[in-house]
mmCIF file of all heavy atoms in Angstrom:
data_model
loop_
_atom_site.group_PDB
_atom_site.id
_atom_site.type_symbol
_atom_site.label_atom_id
_atom_site.label_comp_id
_atom_site.label_asym_id
_atom_site.label_seq_id
_atom_site.Cartn_x
_atom_site.Cartn_y
_atom_site.Cartn_z
ATOM 1 N N ILE A 12 3.317 -14.381 1.965
ATOM 2 C CA ILE A 12 3.952 -13.806 0.793
ATOM 3 C C ILE A 12 5.013 -14.746 0.235
ATOM 4 O O ILE A 12 5.244 -14.817 -0.966
ATOM 5 C CB ILE A 12 4.547 -12.416 1.138
ATOM 6 C CG1 ILE A 12 4.826 -11.616 -0.134
ATOM 7 C CG2 ILE A 12 5.773 -12.526 2.014
ATOM 8 C CD1 ILE A 12 5.181 -10.173 0.129
ATOM 9 N N GLY A 13 5.642 -15.510 1.130
ATOM 10 C CA GLY A 13 6.687 -16.427 0.696
ATOM 11 C C GLY A 13 6.173 -17.592 -0.125
ATOM 12 O O GLY A 13 6.927 -18.195 -0.894
ATOM 13 N N ARG A 14 4.897 -17.915 0.032
ATOM 14 C CA ARG A 14 4.328 -19.050 -0.708
ATOM 15 C C ARG A 14 3.497 -18.607 -1.903
ATOM 16 O O ARG A 14 2.839 -19.432 -2.545
ATOM 17 C CB ARG A 14 3.465 -19.903 0.232
ATOM 18 C CG ARG A 14 4.245 -20.593 1.339
ATOM 19 C CD ARG A 14 3.421 -21.696 1.983
ATOM 20 N NE ARG A 14 2.214 -21.187 2.625
ATOM 21 C CZ ARG A 14 2.139 -20.814 3.901
ATOM 22 N NH1 ARG A 14 3.214 -20.863 4.661
ATOM 23 N NH2 ARG A 14 1.019 -20.375 4.419
ATOM 24 N N THR A 15 3.507 -17.311 -2.204
ATOM 25 C CA THR A 15 2.729 -16.793 -3.323
ATOM 26 C C THR A 15 3.605 -16.650 -4.557
ATOM 27 O O THR A 15 4.633 -15.971 -4.525
ATOM 28 C CB THR A 15 2.114 -15.419 -2.977
ATOM 29 O OG1 THR A 15 1.322 -15.533 -1.786
ATOM 30 C CG2 THR A 15 1.228 -14.917 -4.103
ATOM 31 N N ASN A 16 3.210 -17.305 -5.643
ATOM 32 C CA ASN A 16 3.896 -17.166 -6.926
ATOM 33 C C ASN A 16 3.317 -15.944 -7.625
ATOM 34 O O ASN A 16 2.203 -15.974 -8.136
ATOM 35 C CB ASN A 16 3.684 -18.420 -7.769
ATOM 36 C CG ASN A 16 4.343 -18.331 -9.138
ATOM 37 O OD1 ASN A 16 4.841 -17.279 -9.540
ATOM 38 N ND2 ASN A 16 4.343 -19.439 -9.867
ATOM 39 N N PHE A 17 4.084 -14.853 -7.651
ATOM 40 C CA PHE A 17 3.564 -13.605 -8.177
ATOM 41 C C PHE A 17 3.242 -13.681 -9.666
ATOM 42 O O PHE A 17 2.490 -12.844 -10.171
ATOM 43 C CB PHE A 17 4.557 -12.473 -7.941
ATOM 44 C CG PHE A 17 4.672 -12.023 -6.501
ATOM 45 C CD1 PHE A 17 5.644 -11.118 -6.121
ATOM 46 C CD2 PHE A 17 3.801 -12.499 -5.532
ATOM 47 C CE1 PHE A 17 5.749 -10.694 -4.808
ATOM 48 C CE2 PHE A 17 3.903 -12.091 -4.212
ATOM 49 C CZ PHE A 17 4.887 -11.184 -3.848
ATOM 50 N N ASN A 18 3.793 -14.628 -10.398
ATOM 51 C CA ASN A 18 3.437 -14.783 -11.807
ATOM 52 C C ASN A 18 2.023 -15.341 -11.963
ATOM 53 O O ASN A 18 1.391 -15.163 -13.006
ATOM 54 C CB ASN A 18 4.430 -15.690 -12.525
ATOM 55 C CG ASN A 18 5.762 -15.020 -12.730
ATOM 56 O OD1 ASN A 18 5.828 -13.848 -13.078
ATOM 57 N ND2 ASN A 18 6.844 -15.757 -12.517
ATOM 58 N N GLU A 19 1.538 -16.004 -10.934
ATOM 59 C CA GLU A 19 0.232 -16.646 -10.980
ATOM 60 C C GLU A 19 -0.823 -15.911 -10.175
ATOM 61 O O GLU A 19 -1.998 -15.878 -10.570
ATOM 62 C CB GLU A 19 0.340 -18.091 -10.467
ATOM 63 C CG GLU A 19 1.206 -19.000 -11.325
ATOM 64 C CD GLU A 19 0.592 -19.236 -12.701
ATOM 65 O OE1 GLU A 19 -0.643 -19.422 -12.761
ATOM 66 O OE2 GLU A 19 1.335 -19.208 -13.693
ATOM 67 N N SER A 20 -0.411 -15.311 -9.073
ATOM 68 C CA SER A 20 -1.402 -14.733 -8.149
ATOM 69 C C SER A 20 -0.862 -13.483 -7.479
ATOM 70 O O SER A 20 0.316 -13.433 -7.105
ATOM 71 C CB SER A 20 -1.755 -15.751 -7.055
ATOM 72 O OG SER A 20 -2.252 -16.948 -7.604
ATOM 73 N N PRO A 21 -1.701 -12.499 -7.287
ATOM 74 C CA PRO A 21 -1.299 -11.344 -6.479
ATOM 75 C C PRO A 21 -1.348 -11.692 -5.002
ATOM 76 O O PRO A 21 -2.170 -12.510 -4.574
ATOM 77 C CB PRO A 21 -2.338 -10.283 -6.822
ATOM 78 C CG PRO A 21 -3.561 -11.070 -7.197
ATOM 79 C CD PRO A 21 -3.069 -12.345 -7.826
ATOM 80 N N PHE A 22 -0.477 -11.096 -4.230
ATOM 81 C CA PHE A 22 -0.547 -11.200 -2.773
ATOM 82 C C PHE A 22 -1.558 -10.205 -2.224
ATOM 83 O O PHE A 22 -2.178 -10.441 -1.188
ATOM 84 C CB PHE A 22 0.836 -10.928 -2.178
ATOM 85 C CG PHE A 22 0.875 -10.917 -0.685
ATOM 86 C CD1 PHE A 22 0.801 -12.092 0.041
ATOM 87 C CD2 PHE A 22 0.979 -9.722 0.013
ATOM 88 C CE1 PHE A 22 0.831 -12.091 1.433
ATOM 89 C CE2 PHE A 22 1.010 -9.700 1.401
ATOM 90 C CZ PHE A 22 0.942 -10.886 2.114
ATOM 91 N N LEU A 23 -1.745 -9.098 -2.936
ATOM 92 C CA LEU A 23 -2.589 -8.012 -2.472
ATOM 93 C C LEU A 23 -3.501 -7.527 -3.590
ATOM 94 O O LEU A 23 -3.034 -7.219 -4.685
ATOM 95 C CB LEU A 23 -1.687 -6.849 -2.001
ATOM 96 C CG LEU A 23 -2.345 -5.578 -1.479
ATOM 97 C CD1 LEU A 23 -3.160 -5.867 -0.230
ATOM 98 C CD2 LEU A 23 -1.278 -4.523 -1.174
ATOM 99 N N ILE A 24 -4.800 -7.487 -3.313
ATOM 100 C CA ILE A 24 -5.790 -6.924 -4.230
ATOM 101 C C ILE A 24 -6.455 -5.761 -3.521
ATOM 102 O O ILE A 24 -6.993 -5.900 -2.422
ATOM 103 C CB ILE A 24 -6.845 -7.972 -4.635
ATOM 104 C CG1 ILE A 24 -6.196 -9.128 -5.378
ATOM 105 C CG2 ILE A 24 -7.937 -7.335 -5.491
ATOM 106 C CD1 ILE A 24 -7.158 -10.254 -5.724
ATOM 107 N N ILE A 25 -6.410 -4.596 -4.152
ATOM 108 C CA ILE A 25 -7.080 -3.424 -3.597
ATOM 109 C C ILE A 25 -8.219 -3.028 -4.531
ATOM 110 O O ILE A 25 -8.020 -2.886 -5.731
ATOM 111 C CB ILE A 25 -6.089 -2.265 -3.411
ATOM 112 C CG1 ILE A 25 -5.071 -2.637 -2.324
ATOM 113 C CG2 ILE A 25 -6.825 -0.981 -3.034
ATOM 114 C CD1 ILE A 25 -4.125 -1.531 -1.931
ATOM 115 N N TRP A 26 -9.392 -2.872 -3.939
ATOM 116 C CA TRP A 26 -10.557 -2.451 -4.709
ATOM 117 C C TRP A 26 -10.998 -1.069 -4.243
ATOM 118 O O TRP A 26 -11.298 -0.857 -3.065
ATOM 119 C CB TRP A 26 -11.710 -3.449 -4.555
ATOM 120 C CG TRP A 26 -13.015 -2.955 -5.128
ATOM 121 C CD1 TRP A 26 -13.204 -2.253 -6.278
ATOM 122 C CD2 TRP A 26 -14.308 -3.110 -4.534
ATOM 123 N NE1 TRP A 26 -14.524 -1.959 -6.456
ATOM 124 C CE2 TRP A 26 -15.233 -2.462 -5.404
ATOM 125 C CE3 TRP A 26 -14.785 -3.730 -3.379
ATOM 126 C CZ2 TRP A 26 -16.593 -2.425 -5.127
ATOM 127 C CZ3 TRP A 26 -16.144 -3.694 -3.107
ATOM 128 C CH2 TRP A 26 -17.034 -3.050 -3.984
ATOM 129 N N GLU A 27 -11.012 -0.146 -5.171
ATOM 130 C CA GLU A 27 -11.505 1.211 -4.924
ATOM 131 C C GLU A 27 -13.030 1.142 -4.960
ATOM 132 O O GLU A 27 -13.646 1.222 -6.018
ATOM 133 C CB GLU A 27 -10.960 2.130 -6.006
ATOM 134 C CG GLU A 27 -11.418 3.572 -5.915
ATOM 135 C CD GLU A 27 -10.997 4.360 -7.151
ATOM 136 O OE1 GLU A 27 -11.461 4.017 -8.265
ATOM 137 O OE2 GLU A 27 -10.208 5.288 -7.003
ATOM 138 N N THR A 28 -13.640 1.012 -3.818
ATOM 139 C CA THR A 28 -15.085 0.782 -3.737
ATOM 140 C C THR A 28 -15.884 1.953 -4.297
ATOM 141 O O THR A 28 -16.979 1.773 -4.833
ATOM 142 C CB THR A 28 -15.505 0.543 -2.283
ATOM 143 O OG1 THR A 28 -15.141 1.685 -1.506
ATOM 144 C CG2 THR A 28 -14.812 -0.689 -1.710
ATOM 145 N N THR A 29 -15.339 3.155 -4.134
ATOM 146 C CA THR A 29 -16.000 4.384 -4.570
ATOM 147 C C THR A 29 -14.952 5.484 -4.604
ATOM 148 O O THR A 29 -13.907 5.367 -3.959
ATOM 149 C CB THR A 29 -17.134 4.786 -3.604
ATOM 150 O OG1 THR A 29 -17.770 5.979 -4.075
ATOM 151 C CG2 THR A 29 -16.619 5.011 -2.201
ATOM 152 N N GLN A 30 -15.232 6.543 -5.345
ATOM 153 C CA GLN A 30 -14.380 7.731 -5.267
ATOM 154 C C GLN A 30 -15.021 8.819 -4.425
ATOM 155 O O GLN A 30 -14.454 9.903 -4.281
ATOM 156 C CB GLN A 30 -14.044 8.247 -6.660
ATOM 157 C CG GLN A 30 -13.049 7.367 -7.411
ATOM 158 C CD GLN A 30 -12.491 8.029 -8.652
ATOM 159 O OE1 GLN A 30 -13.103 8.929 -9.226
ATOM 160 N NE2 GLN A 30 -11.341 7.554 -9.099
ATOM 161 N N ALA A 31 -16.180 8.524 -3.861
ATOM 162 C CA ALA A 31 -16.856 9.500 -3.001
ATOM 163 C C ALA A 31 -16.140 9.600 -1.655
ATOM 164 O O ALA A 31 -15.747 8.581 -1.073
ATOM 165 C CB ALA A 31 -18.307 9.098 -2.793
ATOM 166 N N CYS A 32 -15.975 10.812 -1.159
ATOM 167 C CA CYS A 32 -15.298 11.023 0.115
ATOM 168 C C CYS A 32 -15.635 12.420 0.612
ATOM 169 O O CYS A 32 -15.805 13.350 -0.177
ATOM 170 C CB CYS A 32 -13.781 10.868 -0.069
ATOM 171 S SG CYS A 32 -12.836 11.033 1.467
ATOM 172 N N ASP A 33 -15.685 12.567 1.945
ATOM 173 C CA ASP A 33 -15.994 13.866 2.537
ATOM 174 C C ASP A 33 -14.748 14.664 2.880
ATOM 175 O O ASP A 33 -14.857 15.765 3.428
ATOM 176 C CB ASP A 33 -16.856 13.670 3.794
ATOM 177 C CG ASP A 33 -18.229 13.122 3.464
ATOM 178 O OD1 ASP A 33 -18.732 13.429 2.367
ATOM 179 O OD2 ASP A 33 -18.797 12.374 4.288
ATOM 180 N N LEU A 34 -13.557 14.098 2.577
ATOM 181 C CA LEU A 34 -12.314 14.839 2.753
ATOM 182 C C LEU A 34 -11.893 15.426 1.405
ATOM 183 O O LEU A 34 -12.461 15.099 0.362
ATOM 184 C CB LEU A 34 -11.222 13.917 3.299
ATOM 185 C CG LEU A 34 -11.495 13.271 4.658
ATOM 186 C CD1 LEU A 34 -10.324 12.407 5.089
ATOM 187 C CD2 LEU A 34 -11.795 14.328 5.727
ATOM 188 N N ALA A 35 -10.867 16.264 1.450
ATOM 189 C CA ALA A 35 -10.346 16.892 0.230
ATOM 190 C C ALA A 35 -8.821 16.891 0.303
ATOM 191 O O ALA A 35 -8.186 17.947 0.316
ATOM 192 C CB ALA A 35 -10.889 18.303 0.079
ATOM 193 N N CYS A 36 -8.239 15.701 0.347
ATOM 194 C CA CYS A 36 -6.804 15.557 0.620
ATOM 195 C C CYS A 36 -5.955 16.146 -0.502
ATOM 196 O O CYS A 36 -6.261 15.985 -1.694
ATOM 197 C CB CYS A 36 -6.456 14.082 0.812
ATOM 198 S SG CYS A 36 -7.408 13.321 2.147
ATOM 199 N N LEU A 37 -4.859 16.808 -0.109
ATOM 200 C CA LEU A 37 -3.993 17.489 -1.063
ATOM 201 C C LEU A 37 -3.386 16.525 -2.073
ATOM 202 O O LEU A 37 -3.108 16.904 -3.208
ATOM 203 C CB LEU A 37 -2.871 18.215 -0.314
ATOM 204 C CG LEU A 37 -3.274 19.354 0.627
ATOM 205 C CD1 LEU A 37 -2.042 19.915 1.316
ATOM 206 C CD2 LEU A 37 -3.995 20.458 -0.149
ATOM 207 N N HIS A 38 -3.160 15.278 -1.655
ATOM 208 C CA HIS A 38 -2.411 14.330 -2.486
ATOM 209 C C HIS A 38 -3.312 13.274 -3.114
ATOM 210 O O HIS A 38 -2.811 12.311 -3.696
ATOM 211 C CB HIS A 38 -1.391 13.613 -1.607
ATOM 212 C CG HIS A 38 -2.021 12.652 -0.637
ATOM 213 N ND1 HIS A 38 -2.899 13.076 0.336
ATOM 214 C CD2 HIS A 38 -1.949 11.310 -0.527
ATOM 215 C CE1 HIS A 38 -3.324 12.016 1.023
ATOM 216 N NE2 HIS A 38 -2.755 10.940 0.523
ATOM 217 N N CYS A 39 -4.631 13.380 -3.011
ATOM 218 C CA CYS A 39 -5.536 12.263 -3.300
ATOM 219 C C CYS A 39 -5.308 11.645 -4.682
ATOM 220 O O CYS A 39 -5.485 12.302 -5.710
ATOM 221 C CB CYS A 39 -6.988 12.723 -3.190
ATOM 222 S SG CYS A 39 -8.175 11.373 -3.440
ATOM 223 N N ARG A 40 -4.931 10.391 -4.673
ATOM 224 C CA ARG A 40 -4.729 9.639 -5.916
ATOM 225 C C ARG A 40 -5.999 9.606 -6.748
ATOM 226 O O ARG A 40 -5.965 9.702 -7.983
ATOM 227 C CB ARG A 40 -4.294 8.201 -5.564
ATOM 228 C CG ARG A 40 -4.343 7.217 -6.703
ATOM 229 C CD ARG A 40 -4.541 5.790 -6.208
ATOM 230 N NE ARG A 40 -5.735 5.645 -5.404
ATOM 231 C CZ ARG A 40 -6.954 5.562 -5.880
ATOM 232 N NH1 ARG A 40 -7.183 5.642 -7.193
ATOM 233 N NH2 ARG A 40 -8.003 5.426 -5.088
#
Side-chain angles (χ1 to χ4, degrees):
I12 198 170
R14 294 195 298 269
T15 304
N16 178 352
F17 288 172
N18 288 318
E19 295 294 319
S20 302
F22 176 75
L23 179 63
I24 298 176
I25 293 186
W26 170 39
E27 178 189 63
T28 59
T29 181
Q30 287 193 336
C32 183
D33 293 329
L34 300 181
C36 303
L37 296 178
H38 70 298
C39 183
R40 167 206 57 78

